[in-house]
Amino acid sequence: MSTKDYLEKDYYKVLGVPKTAAADEIKQSYRKLARKYHPDANKGDRKAEERFKEISEAYNTLSDEKKRKEYDEARSLFGGGFRVPGAGGRPGTAGTGAGGFGGFDLGDLFGGAEAGQGGLGDLLGGVFRNRGGGGTGTQARPRRGADVETETTLSFGDAVDGTTVPLHLTGDGPCPVCHGTGAKAGTVPKVCPTCEGTGQSSRNLGNFAFSEPCKTCRGRGLVVEDPCASCNGSGHATSTRTIQARIPAGVNDGQRIKLRGKGAPGERGGPAGDLYVRVHVTPHPVFGRSGGNLTVTVPVTVPEAALGSEIKVPSHRGVPVTVRIPAGTPNGRTFRVRGKGVRRSDGTYGDLLVTVEVMVPKNVGTKGRKALEDLREATAGEDPREELLQRAKET
Ligand SMILES: [Zn+2]
Ligand SMILES: [Zn+2]
């Protein structure tokens, strides 16, 4: 029997007797339980077998006067004299458990090797709870659902304007056959006899409480005797649900949107997790995005750029807007049309950025050719590269 067993197992509880029970009382209770859980009387029932082992183990210790004394001492020692170095000796401030037992070798005290080999540190690191901090019962508390991540692809226009999209989410949900109870149709799960429904097995040792998920029910607090065939008693199933997700106006390609409370449902009344939607936006053949602004490139003729003009420019989901091009506009200049961009969260709009691209005519015809030759003559002597050549000589 190891120290760890002594600390983890409440033999009195196993046998259903008080700590002050006399030897006779222990024996009586043991016989009654042993008859009930004996493997011969419970053929093939593994739970009964486990229980029988527990009962035998408890009786082995408590029926032996010397072992019982050792057991009682081990547990009472942890109750009273326990101190965590570095915590000022105040009970109830155990932080990490691991490494906190310098100079306190339980292996020496109980003559067992296990505690001295870090087994105890592991045990305490995992299940040690500060009673003052309300550490017990974490399993039975409401638990927030998991965050879920998914993605969706939007058209350019829907990304600009915002939209509502159906999202198909696959996740772990309640089994539809047993509605999550895990029990076969017509039966209901029973309150776990080991933990009496708390889902925790905990032992209070003086200033501290040890707690861990109940082994019988794995922390659920309920046991299923006749399991649902569909989920094998787990109560869980992979489920698909569809939600309508509101995508705000102005999302960018690759952006992640958080939809609060649309993730996995919580457990035991806990809140649902959040849903994160990664948005992909398909490009538009004409418009581009630059933050809250829309961009568009518009071809203009040489005379339009040189002489100035008013041109019609497409706008997103609206009538074309007129942009005035001043005389002498160079290729690549960008004009701003206010309020024709993307709707912002405050209700205002970004701008439409219009970039002109001067088109050089390929076929101009006889009249056009004459005009261009006249232009050449008119601008003879002007060398647009003169300054460039000059500056290239510098340094
Ligand atoms: Zn089921
Ligand atoms: Zn239980």
Side-chain angles (χ1 to χ4, degrees), residues 174-184 227-237:
C175 167
V177 177
C178 62
H179 306 289
T181 67
K184 197 171 161 185
C228 162
S230 175
C231 62
N232 292 321
S234 73
H236 292 268

Side-chain angles (χ1 to χ4, degrees), residues 195-388:
C195 62
E196 291 164 339
T198 62
Q200 290 284 302
S201 53
S202 76
R203 289 161 297 280
N204 296 330
L205 304 175
N207 292 317
F208 297 100
F210 289 80
S211 80
E212 61 190 339
C214 168
K215 286 194 177 73
T216 308
C217 62
R218 292 205 191 94
R220 199 178 159 208
L222 297 170
V223 286
V224 173
E225 289 178 335
D226 229 345
C228 162
S230 175
C231 62
N232 292 321
S234 73
H236 292 268
T238 301
S239 68
T240 308
R241 62 197 167 105
T242 301
I243 63 153
Q244 299 296 322
R246 178 72 204 156
I247 308 290
V251 291
N252 287 300
D253 184 42
Q255 194 174 328
R256 208 165 77 130
I257 293 174
K258 178 180 177 177
L259 297 169
R260 198 178 290 277
K262 297 279 190 182
E267 283 179 43
R268 289 179 285 272
D274 298 327
L275 174 65
Y276 290 91
V277 185
R278 175 84 58 190
V279 177
H280 304 284
V281 180
T282 49
H284 192 277
V286 167
F287 296 107
R289 286 273 302 277
S290 173
N293 298 326
L294 288 178
T295 60
V296 64
T297 298
V298 178
V300 294
T301 65
V302 172
E304 278 171 344
L307 303 175
S309 62
E310 287 190 343
I311 60 170
K312 268 187 179 168
V313 172
S315 71
H316 169 67
R317 284 184 181 166
V319 292
V321 292
T322 300
V323 175
R324 207 184 64 79
I325 306 289
T329 293
N331 180 52
R333 173 156 291 178
T334 297
F335 298 90
R336 183 180 293 265
V337 185
R338 298 211 178 271
K340 293 290 179 186
V342 182
R343 198 184 126 96
R344 301 190 188 100
S345 56
D346 63 0
T348 62
Y349 285 80
D351 304 328
L352 175 63
L353 304 178
V354 181
T355 302
V356 298
E357 187 178 22
V358 177
M359 309 303 287
V360 176
K362 276 196 188 107
N363 301 302
V364 291
T366 319
K367 204 176 164 190
R369 187 175 177 83
K370 174 79 174 67
L372 286 170
E373 280 167 357
D374 287 349
L375 178 62
R376 181 168 60 188
E377 211 167 291
T379 58
E382 281 179 27
D383 185 353
R385 289 165 296 279
E386 194 177 340
E387 195 193 339
L388 179 80

Side-chain angles (χ1 to χ4, degrees), residues 10-18 21 25 29-30 33 51 58 62:
D10 188 340
Y11 292 147
Y12 292 103
K13 197 174 170 188
V14 168
L15 292 179
V17 293
E25 200 180 335
S29 183
Y30 163 70
L33 291 167
R51 191 90 169 85
L62 297 190

